[in-house]
Amino acid sequence: DATYETVLVETHAGVGLIRLNRPKALNALSRQLIADLNAALDAFEADDAIGAIVLTGSEKAFAAGADIKEMQALGYVDVFLDDFVARWERLAAVRKPVVAAVAGFALGGGCELALMCDLVIAADNAKFGQPEITLGLMPGAGGTQRLARSVGKAKTMDMVLTGRMIDAAEAERIGLVSRVVPAAELVDQAIAAAQKIAGLSRPSVLMAKEAVNRAFESPLAEGIRTERRLFHSLFATEDAREGMAAFLDKRPAAFRNR
Ligand code: CAA
């Protein structure tokens, strides 16, 4: 596996694991960390042996947000010319499913990265928040948009305007996370969920992800049309023939991603 300065990568039978690794800064999302994350995502996205990705941090922090030390040095023209945080959107463009495994703090940009993932599995000690307002800033990596689409206006305004952190139970209740698990089982459970996905037919998995994401970007009728086209196109795959035949033969399906 490749080595990076601020992320660790591993593979687990069809699953690529990316671990954010700046422990002294609670995985604050520095320029270097985003570059490393993007390189690791590119590598797993290009690797045919990988069917799904897990993104995690440490037991104490998924990520405590953008690196405030780096941001402090930036003025308006700097962030404008650099298009600051545009590079963070790489995660949202990954076609393979990404499971976020969140323990500890997921704040600011850390919460926003989790919102770009497809499943969010939270440890019971996870804390989510958008505290940018307490810095005199506001969320800048999709927090006002993805959070509003995912949990609605009432909770988004509460989090974005007050900076209040919510715990794992509240995050699950409002629909920000998919599942809450004991902290000790977090990464194993996230890998298991990702392996389940990686063992399915890749064309159907990628199209299903694309269709669900379309729900957040288009009017209902447009989304339904997209779904119908993608659904129809899966009837052209060998895997759909195999999946249906296997069900009727009462045997496990052997998908070949074709
Ligand atoms: N940037 C840079 N360094 C950070 C950091 C961040 N976002 N978060 C934590 N750190 C550093 C601390 O400065 C500290 O470093 P030193 O040991 O060198 O002092 C180290 O990580 C440990 O942090 P604390 O001592 O603060 O740990 P704690 O357990 O007392 O508190 C915390 C934990 C509540 C997460 C607290 O660190 C905190 O509030 N962090 C900032 C959270 C934040 O405001 N995030 C939003 C960033 S803005 C953003 O993300 C913009 C965007 O939308 C794109």
Side-chain angles (χ1 to χ4, degrees):
D1 289 336
T3 59
Y4 305 96
E5 202 177 309
T6 59
V7 307
L8 301 170
V9 295
E10 296 167 12
T11 54
H12 295 264
V15 170
L17 176 86
I18 303 175
R19 190 185 287 278
L20 307 179
N21 186 38
R22 288 186 73 208
K24 284 184 193 141
L26 299 182
N27 294 331
L29 302 162
S30 62
R31 208 183 162 77
Q32 180 69 46
L33 186 144
I34 295 297
D36 287 345
L37 171 62
N38 289 352
L41 289 170
D42 285 341
F44 284 143
E45 188 80 315
D47 184 346
D48 275 346
I50 296 298
I53 296 167
V54 172
L55 178 63
T56 195
S58 70
E59 280 163 31
K60 181 147 191 233
F62 179 72
D67 189 312
I68 298 169
K69 273 179 205 143
E70 280 185 6
M71 278 198 307
Q72 195 205 7
L74 304 175
Y76 170 72
V77 174
D78 300 314
V79 295
F80 173 73
L81 290 182
D82 183 50
D83 203 4
F84 180 50
V85 299
R87 285 178 200 86
W88 300 28
E89 289 283 329
R90 174 70 188 96
L91 177 60
V94 172
R95 296 176 77 211
K96 293 173 182 172
V98 183
V99 178
V102 178
F105 297 109
L107 301 179
C111 188
E112 291 168 311
L113 283 190
L115 285 163
M116 292 179 202
C117 296
D118 304 309
L119 272 74
V120 181
I121 302 188
D124 47 22
N125 77 341
K127 288 209 182 296
F128 296 84
Q130 298 287 164
E132 293 91 338
I133 204 81
T134 67
L135 302 170
L137 294 172
M138 61 176 277
T144 66
Q145 304 302 301
R146 289 197 181 89
L147 194 59
R149 280 170 167 74
S150 128
V151 306
K153 177 174 172 177
K155 291 291 182 180
T156 300
M157 286 294 191
D158 188 0
M159 292 174 71
V160 169
L161 296 182
T162 72
R164 179 171 76 87
M165 276 190 230
I166 62 172
D167 64 15
E170 182 171 1
E172 185 178 38
R173 198 161 67 238
I174 69 178
L176 176 52
V177 310
S178 317
R179 312 177 192 175
V180 178
V181 302
E185 295 169 23
L186 175 69
V187 174
D188 286 349
Q189 292 229 20
I191 290 172
Q195 279 173 339
K196 167 79 192 180
I197 295 167
L200 301 172
S201 169
R202 195 165 306 161
S204 69
V205 164
L206 265 55
M207 286 191 207
K209 168 170 173 167
E210 184 180 333
V212 174
N213 278 335
R214 193 60 68 94
F216 297 97
E217 289 175 0
S218 56
L220 180 62
E222 189 59 42
I224 293 288
R225 263 193 297 277
T226 298
E227 181 190 73
R228 181 105 21 97
R229 290 292 162 264
L230 291 170
F231 173 66
H232 288 166
S233 70
L234 286 171
F235 284 73
T237 64
E238 292 170 23
D239 280 351
R241 307 260 73 86
E242 165 63 9
M244 290 186 277
F247 175 82
L248 294 172
D249 295 349
K250 302 187 190 301
R251 60 172 173 83
F255 292 124
R256 296 169 47 240
N257 299 333
R258 283 289 169 271

